[in-house]
Each structure stands twice: as C-alpha cells, then as structure tokens.
Amino acid sequence: MIETNGSYFAGWGTLTLINAGLAQAKGRSGLAWFLISLLLGPIATFLIVVMGPPKTA
C-alpha cells in the first residue's frame, strides 16, 4: 500500500539521486538518468547496472 505521509515519495526521490550518481560513475549523463529514474525508478537502477560502458566515438 502507498503511504500517505510522503515516505514513498522521499524513497523514490532518494533512488533518483542514487541512480544519477551511479550513472555518472559509469560515464553516463547523471541528469538524463535522474529524469529517467523519475519515471522508471528501480527499473532504471537495473538498466544502469546491466548496461556496459558507453561507446566512445
């Protein structure tokens, strides 16, 4: 159940910040992954972890 006291949103917001930092550590755009995480949440975390390093041109 979704709690109405805001803890659900605080946890989701914390996850977006963690994902942004994780993405930057892997050489990806932290801002882009922050925004993606707002929509996908834990799925975005999985994608960041599973994806390989970005290709350099």
Side-chain angles (χ1 to χ4, degrees):
M1 297 282 176
I2 297 175
E3 297 181 21
T4 58
N5 64 1
S7 65
Y8 176 79
F9 297 107
W12 199 273
T14 302
L15 182 62
T16 61
L17 293 173
I18 292 170
N19 285 347
L22 183 59
Q24 282 187 334
K26 294 189 99 179
R28 300 191 179 275
S29 170
L31 178 60
W33 279 99
F34 174 83
L35 296 173
I36 292 168
S37 295
L38 283 174
L39 298 173
L40 300 179
I43 296 169
T45 306
F46 176 75
L47 292 174
I48 294 169
V49 171
V50 172
M51 288 174 35
K55 295 181 181 178
T56 56

